Amino acid sequence: MELYPAIDLRDGGAVRLTQGDFDREVRYGDPLALAQRFIEGGAAWIHVVDLNAARTGVPHERAVLAKIVELATSAGGTAGPGIAGPGIRVQTGGGIRTEDDVAAVLDLGVARVVLGTAALEDPALATRCARRWPGRVAVGLDYVTRADGVAEARGHGWEQGSGRALDELLMIWAGEPIGAVVATAIARDGMLGGSDLVGVRALLELAALSSLPVIASGGVGTLDDLRDLATLIALDPDLGERTLAGVIVGKALVEGRFSVEEAVAACTVSV
């Protein structure tokens, strides 16, 4: 399981929201300094989100994103598929609504683009982009668990329900060359109270049926939370046991609850 330290961008700075609420924002200063800290800690990926764009569909932070990519790709390591030269890989989302948006962001040197709202409203767009850029397009399934127990995806900066269940969406993309499913438990995001292990396990089992890798997000507050996620197992009918492909960690790292080095080690604990 790979670690994805997160940088959420708003108005040029690094911020963290609680449960996606823009009125519950804490600012953490220079995003480039934060990216440098993650790189020096040994992260192989950095996950970047343009928060204002996620709500509006209009890019706000591409200049900052380009600087983070430049910093990351000039560091040591191995770049991702389709990325020339050495570097730490950058995954990014927020406000990417069209195939042209995907192309523009990939042209910055980003390794993987996350389609959120656009994928919910037009699943065929995600399919087309994944086929055009195999492995370099992810779908973001940010979800809430309804009273009836169904996990429903939300869009537009988590402010609008989609009416679509996660299992329905996963089966639409079954077998497609999607790079990852990035699943965020909205109710746990920024709370530091632990991951949605029940929901993540169910999603991992569904994803095993559709052969899609899963990156979990939301709620990580301790190293034990990371170890719990790293040891989750689902049975793939073709490949046998499958584990999470990755985990996104934001607030716990930014606030220094543990280091990047410690988090990387926790993510590689044996099943």
Side-chain angles (χ1 to χ4, degrees):
M1 184 176 77
E2 293 198 86
L3 177 72
Y4 289 71
I7 301 176
D8 288 356
L9 300 173
R10 193 179 186 202
D11 301 328
V15 307
R16 296 303 303 173
L17 307 182
T18 298
Q19 296 177 318
D21 187 343
F22 282 76
D23 293 327
R24 300 161 71 189
E25 174 190 279
V26 179
R27 301 191 69 82
Y28 292 99
D30 181 7
L32 292 179
L34 190 56
Q36 185 64 44
R37 185 174 128 201
F38 292 159
I39 291 167
E40 291 174 354
W45 286 87
I46 297 175
H47 178 77
V48 182
V49 179
D50 183 340
L51 290 174
N52 282 331
R55 286 206 297 184
T56 66
V58 179
H60 287 256
E61 307 290 349
R62 286 205 183 154
V64 178
L65 172 63
K67 291 178 181 178
I68 293 173
V69 171
E70 182 180 3
L71 182 66
T73 54
S74 65
T78 303
I83 308 299
I88 309 304
R89 290 165 287 182
V90 175
Q91 173 176 275
T92 191
I96 301 169
R97 301 286 198 261
T98 68
E99 198 165 337
D100 286 343
D101 287 339
V102 174
V105 174
L106 290 176
D107 282 347
L108 295 177
V110 167
R112 188 186 294 144
V113 171
V114 182
L115 288 173
T117 299
L120 299 181
E121 295 180 346
D122 183 6
L125 170 65
T127 299
R128 289 196 305 274
C129 289
R131 291 176 180 177
R132 180 174 174 183
W133 297 285
R136 299 187 66 192
V137 175
V139 291
L141 299 183
D142 309 322
Y143 68 92
V144 294
T145 303
R146 302 188 318 222
D148 60 3
V150 173
E152 179 188 356
R154 296 184 68 86
H156 295 279
W158 302 355
E159 295 182 332
Q160 296 180 24
S162 68
R164 290 180 175 270
L166 298 194
D167 56 351
E168 168 200 349
L169 290 163
L170 286 173
M171 295 319 296
I172 289 175
W173 296 308
E176 296 293 346
I178 300 284
V181 173
V182 180
T184 301
I186 294 172
R188 293 178 181 261
D189 189 70
M191 301 299 289
L192 302 171
S195 304
D196 176 19
L197 292 177
V198 173
V200 172
R201 186 188 300 276
L203 180 61
L204 187 58
E205 291 172 349
L206 288 168
L209 296 175
S210 59
S211 300
L212 298 175
V214 177
I215 299 171
S217 177
V220 171
T222 68
L223 293 172
D224 280 341
D225 293 333
L226 290 174
R227 296 183 187 106
D228 288 342
L229 289 169
T231 53
L232 282 179
I233 296 174
L235 293 178
D236 186 308
D238 298 316
L239 302 177
E241 292 184 350
R242 290 188 59 188
T243 58
L244 287 171
V247 58
I248 295 170
V249 183
K251 193 173 184 178
L253 283 173
V254 173
E255 294 193 347
R257 290 181 175 244
F258 45 76
S259 68
V260 173
E261 295 93 334
E262 290 171 324
V264 170
C267 287
T268 55
V269 65
S270 297
V271 175

